[in-house]
């Protein structure tokens, strides 16, 4: 007995439509990197046919999609790293981000038979990937004049702080990026989920929603539910033991949680070996029979323990939701000092996946 990650494919399609509703008229790259944020890249891709295109981080992710028969445009957000990756990208007709001079040099050293679609990435302040503003003009000219590059180089940038509506960084990034769009008059792409949800000024020809497709909000202090998104993943398990302990009994590893009175304690078949965060502290909510009960004691590899004082009718085998429908992953993530992205990506191999609402 262990957890199941139930994947609601109707919720995925609903969230894609929500992303469109936020920015009417923009075209959509549905971001499915890192195995679709742990939801299963090949599982979800067919249900994202309503997107205009898909985006992944790495060439090998895109190649897997092509080999599985996905024929939507595919953008590789980190672009190609060496000549072999460039050849693969060209062979599979991938679109690539070009973010540093080394890539332009690699392009120059060969003549691709099918020109490749390039997105010139501008570092507008994220300071991770991208050409510095002063180098953009040169990179643009080099790409425009390269016969291996498809006509109409496009422009992209990435926002570092759009999850915080009070952070002035986003406006500064937009002010840095916009002049290039005006000067080169070419399609551009700016917004991730946080840009889509929180920053109308980040509207661009192409949007790149990731986390919101899976039903979670990237915005500080706000859940996806609150903006009409639906959770796609529900991590579910069951109560596998109910024990009664006397006041003063320590619970679990290191016994750092002690029963304040005689009480029932439930054991749930889910632990960090399944991807439940070990750092979730006592008090983190767990959904039992639709009601929230607090996690108590340390999370172990295969199990965690919950306080059943509020649920005297709980029985062995009762259903438990660790996050998802009825308990936003953002809430659990916040308690554990992380983000829903990491919870989703961290679900491990041994967890069973089950699809619902999958009729297309
Ligand atoms: C991951 C990523 C996205 C999607 O981000 P979310 O916060 O999940 O919406 C968009 N653009 C780039 C460049 C990314 O790396």
């Amino acid at each position: 007995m262990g957890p199941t990650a139930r994947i609601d494919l109707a919720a995925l399609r609903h969230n894609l439509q929500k992303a469109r509703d936020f920015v009417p008229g923009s075209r959509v790259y549905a971001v499915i990197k890192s195995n679709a944020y742990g939801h299963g890249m090949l599982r979800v891709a067919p249900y994202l046919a309503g997107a205009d295109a898909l985006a992944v981080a790495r060439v090998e992710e895109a190649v897997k999609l092509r080999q599985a028969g996905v024929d939507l445009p595919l953008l590789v957000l980190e672009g190609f790293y060496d000549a072999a990756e460039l050849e693969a990208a060209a062979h599979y007709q991938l679109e690539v981000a070009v973010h540093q001079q080394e890539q332009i040099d690699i392009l120059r050293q060969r003549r691709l038979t099918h020109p490749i679609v390039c997105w010139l990435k501008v570092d507008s302040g994220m300071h991770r990937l991208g050409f510095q503003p002063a180098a953009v003009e040169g990179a643009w000219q080099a790409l425009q004049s390269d016969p291996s590059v498809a006509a109409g180089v496009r422009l992209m940038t990435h926002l570092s702080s759009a999850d915080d509506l009070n952070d002035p960084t986003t406006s500064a990034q937009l002010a840095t990026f916009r002049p290039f769009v005006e000067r080169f008059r070419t399609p551009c792409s700016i917004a991730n989920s946080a840009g889509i949800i929180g920053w109308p000024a980040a509207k661009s020809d192409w949007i790149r929603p990731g986390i919101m497709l899976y039903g979670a909000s990237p915005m500080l202090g706000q859940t996806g539910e609150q903006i009409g998104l639906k959770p796609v993943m529900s991590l579910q398990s069951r109560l596998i033991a109910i024990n009664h302990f006397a006041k003063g009994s320590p619970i679990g590893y290191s016994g750092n949680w002690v029963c304040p009175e005689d009480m029932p304690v439930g054991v749930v078949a889910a632990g960090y070996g399944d991807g439940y965060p070990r750092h979730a502290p006592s008090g983190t909510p767990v959904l039992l029979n639709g009601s929230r009960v607090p996690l108590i004691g340390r999370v172990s590899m295969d199990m965690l323990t919950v306080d059943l004082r509020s649920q005297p009718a709980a029985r062995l085998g009762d259903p438990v939701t660790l996050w998802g429908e009825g308990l936003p992953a953002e809430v659990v993530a916040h308690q554990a000092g992380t983000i829903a992205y990491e919870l989703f990506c961290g679900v491990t191999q041994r967890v069973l996946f089950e699809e619902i609402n999958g009729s297309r």
Side-chain angles (χ1 to χ4, degrees):
M1 177 61 226
T4 299
R6 199 192 64 197
I7 304 296
D8 183 344
L9 294 158
L12 180 73
R13 279 178 307 205
H14 167 88
N15 297 336
L16 174 61
Q17 185 55 44
K18 274 277 163 195
R20 284 199 187 281
D21 294 346
F22 270 103
V23 196
S26 288
R27 283 189 277 177
V28 177
Y29 279 103
V31 180
I32 56 170
K33 62 194 182 187
S34 192
N35 203 24
Y37 293 47
H39 292 65
M41 180 178 74
L42 297 180
R43 175 178 297 115
V44 304
Y47 296 91
L48 292 169
D52 299 286
L54 303 174
V56 291
R58 302 180 181 156
V59 169
E60 64 250 40
E61 293 175 308
V63 169
K64 277 195 191 125
L65 286 165
R66 281 283 184 260
Q67 288 174 343
V70 172
D71 56 10
L72 283 173
L74 286 179
L75 168 59
V76 180
L77 295 164
E78 291 173 12
F80 56 91
Y81 175 74
D82 56 21
E85 285 199 348
L86 173 58
E87 299 288 352
H91 176 77
Y92 286 104
Q93 292 182 294
L94 309 179
E95 301 177 7
V96 290
V98 176
H99 56 83
Q100 61 187 349
Q101 181 61 38
E102 285 76 1
Q103 291 174 299
I104 293 178
D105 298 341
I106 292 168
L107 268 165
R108 239 195 226 125
Q109 285 157 17
R110 57 196 36 74
R111 180 77 184 258
L112 299 174
T113 41
H114 295 288
I116 192 164
V117 173
C118 289
W119 287 82
L120 172 54
K121 185 157 188 175
V122 178
D123 179 7
S124 58
M126 170 88 175
H127 298 156
R128 191 176 60 182
L129 295 183
F131 287 92
Q132 295 311 300
V136 169
E137 176 79 33
W140 170 263
Q141 298 300 345
L143 288 174
Q144 283 284 87
S145 62
D146 190 320
S148 292
V149 174
V153 174
R154 305 163 183 191
L155 280 178
M156 68 182 290
T157 195
H158 193 45
L159 302 173
S160 69
S161 310
D163 58 324
D164 183 354
L165 293 176
N166 296 315
D167 192 319
T169 306
T170 302
S171 301
Q173 285 195 260
L174 295 176
T176 300
F177 184 64
R178 287 288 183 202
F180 294 113
V181 180
E182 278 154 29
R183 168 152 164 59
F184 300 135
R185 297 189 174 282
T186 187
C188 73
S189 177
I190 303 173
N192 52 2
S193 297
I196 293 164
I197 294 165
W199 297 85
K203 184 173 166 56
S204 55
D205 305 295
W206 289 87
I207 55 174
R208 306 189 306 271
I211 194 70
M212 70 183 301
L213 297 178
Y214 309 100
S217 168
M219 308 309 282
L220 290 179
Q222 182 196 55
T223 63
E225 213 170 28
Q226 289 166 337
I227 51 169
L229 301 173
K230 295 183 179 171
V232 176
M233 179 194 292
S234 286
L235 187 65
Q236 303 178 323
S237 191
R238 292 190 184 276
L239 214 49
I240 58 165
I242 300 173
N243 297 304
H244 296 266
F245 293 110
K247 176 178 180 180
S249 304
I251 302 298
Y253 285 121
S254 81
N256 70 343
W257 197 89
V258 176
C259 295
E261 58 182 322
D262 294 359
M263 60 178 283
V265 171
V267 181
V268 176
Y272 64 81
D274 304 299
Y276 191 89
R278 200 183 80 90
H279 295 292
S282 293
T284 302
V286 170
L287 206 61
L288 170 68
N289 290 324
S291 299
R292 291 185 185 193
V293 294
L295 171 75
I296 52 176
R298 284 223 178 128
V299 173
S300 18
M301 187 183 291
D302 314 303
M303 288 170 268
L304 54 81
T305 38
V306 293
D307 178 346
L308 290 183
R309 281 177 291 176
S310 64
Q311 299 293 316
R315 292 285 170 268
L316 278 187
D318 280 354
V320 170
T321 299
L322 286 318
W323 62 70
E325 188 75 51
L327 178 59
E330 297 94 309
V331 170
V332 178
H334 182 72
Q335 289 278 334
T338 182
I339 52 179
Y341 299 71
E342 193 185 29
L343 295 188
F344 295 155
C345 287
V347 173
T348 62
Q349 289 281 340
R350 76 168 171 184
V351 172
L352 221 67
F353 277 72
E354 176 189 300
E355 299 165 20
I356 62 165
N357 299 324
S359 58
R360 278 174 246 167

